[in-house]
């Protein structure tokens, strides 16, 4: 995929070229939005809003890294939705019904037993619950660094923050995540459990 050619074609009004970019980045955009928002529907809405915004603002793209530029728009869409929710909280009917475990977020391994699959789903849910409990600025940097694997400088570009701020937020987020996950210690692989020395 020649990203720059697609961007140039999209700037000339070629919607198919922009759709190709959407297809290339939609899973990544959804993943970031899901980990920040903690809800599938909200993540899908944020990702969709981000792509619409990116299409409208494509003429503002200055030729640096498209992925970082797009992820900045995705995280901003998440921030906007979270701020909107604080102003007008609403109860969702979806939260009233029991949802299936989050196992469908990953590939199902046929070698897993049903018990292992359930434990993995419970661990995924525990991690998501701990992420959701973080302040938004810490959650965003934790998702970008530890889930998506972005470098510190890329995160600073995406969040429009200084490198020191990113490192500080990530350190605080990791500490809070570690403390939170101790409540689900039995779900963690043995090498990640803290052992109390008495």
């Amino acid at each position: 995929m020649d990203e720059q050619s697609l961007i140039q074609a999209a700037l000339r009004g070629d919607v198919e070229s922009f759709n190709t970019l959407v297809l290339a980045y939609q899973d990544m955009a959804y993943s970031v939005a899901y980990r920040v928002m903690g809800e599938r529907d909200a993540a899908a809405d944020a990702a969709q809003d981000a792509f619409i915004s990116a299409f409208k603002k494509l003429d503002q793209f200055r030729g640096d890294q498209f992925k970082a530029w797009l992820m900045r728009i995705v995280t901003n869409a998440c921030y906007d939705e979270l701020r909107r929710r604080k102003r007008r909280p609403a109860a969702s009917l979806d939260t009233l019904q029991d949802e299936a475990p989050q196992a469908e977020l990953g590939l199902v391994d046929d070698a897993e037993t049903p018990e292992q699959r359930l434990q993995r789903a419970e661990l995924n849910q525990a991690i998501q619950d701990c992420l959701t409990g973080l302040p938004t600025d810490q959650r965003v940097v934790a998702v970008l660094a530890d889930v998506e694997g972005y470098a510190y400088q890329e995160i600073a570009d995406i969040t429009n923050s200084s490198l020191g701020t990113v490192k500080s937020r990530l350190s605080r987020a990791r500490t809070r995540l570690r403390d939170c996950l101790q409540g689900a210690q039995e779900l963690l692989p043995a090498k990640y459990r803290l052992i109390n020395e008495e």
Side-chain angles (χ1 to χ4, degrees):
M1 174 178 87
D2 182 6
E3 196 173 84
Q4 290 304 319
S5 297
L6 291 171
I7 292 168
Q8 291 305 316
L11 282 167
R12 291 190 301 270
D14 183 1
V15 176
E16 286 305 313
S17 292
F18 188 76
N19 286 343
T20 302
L21 291 167
V22 169
L23 291 173
Y25 289 108
Q26 67 183 1
D27 290 342
M28 184 184 310
Y30 175 80
S31 177
V32 168
Y34 176 75
R35 292 299 180 183
V36 172
M37 301 298 295
E39 299 172 15
R40 285 186 234 139
D41 291 341
D45 289 346
Q48 181 178 7
D49 290 348
F51 281 115
I52 291 168
S53 181
F55 183 72
K56 290 177 180 176
K57 296 177 180 180
L58 196 56
D59 61 331
Q60 297 175 18
F61 176 66
R62 295 291 168 237
D64 49 351
Q65 294 182 349
F66 182 76
K67 180 170 79 169
W69 180 78
L70 181 61
M71 290 305 110
R72 182 179 315 128
I73 294 172
V74 171
T75 56
N76 285 341
C78 293
Y79 279 131
D80 291 346
E81 176 60 20
L82 291 170
R83 278 192 294 270
R84 185 191 67 74
R85 287 180 178 193
K86 279 187 178 177
R87 286 192 308 269
R88 287 182 272 135
S92 169
L93 293 177
D94 292 338
T95 59
L96 299 177
Q97 55 186 328
D98 291 332
E99 288 191 24
Q102 302 294 321
E104 71 273 3
L105 294 177
L107 298 176
V108 175
D109 182 358
D110 291 335
E112 276 186 325
T113 66
E115 181 180 354
Q116 290 170 326
R117 200 170 339 194
L118 179 61
Q119 287 175 335
R120 185 172 44 80
E122 288 175 353
L123 178 58
N124 283 342
Q125 188 59 52
I127 291 169
Q128 184 58 50
D129 291 345
C130 288
L131 277 170
T132 302
L134 292 174
T136 306
D137 57 349
Q138 292 178 22
R139 185 179 339 144
V140 168
V141 295
V143 167
L144 292 173
D146 296 334
V147 177
E148 297 300 323
Y150 285 97
Y152 292 158
Q153 188 57 55
E154 290 177 302
I155 297 169
D157 294 341
I158 291 169
T159 60
N160 204 23
S161 303
S162 72
L163 194 57
T165 299
V166 167
K167 289 179 180 180
S168 173
R169 287 177 181 168
L170 186 57
S171 175
R172 288 194 307 267
R174 285 175 174 165
T175 298
R176 290 180 73 161
L177 285 170
R178 184 196 66 222
D179 293 346
C180 178
L181 286 171
Q182 288 311 303
Q185 197 171 133
E186 72 281 356
L187 298 173
L188 296 172
K191 65 181 182 180
Y192 295 114
R193 295 179 189 172
L194 291 179
I195 299 170
N196 293 331
E197 296 182 16
E198 298 178 9

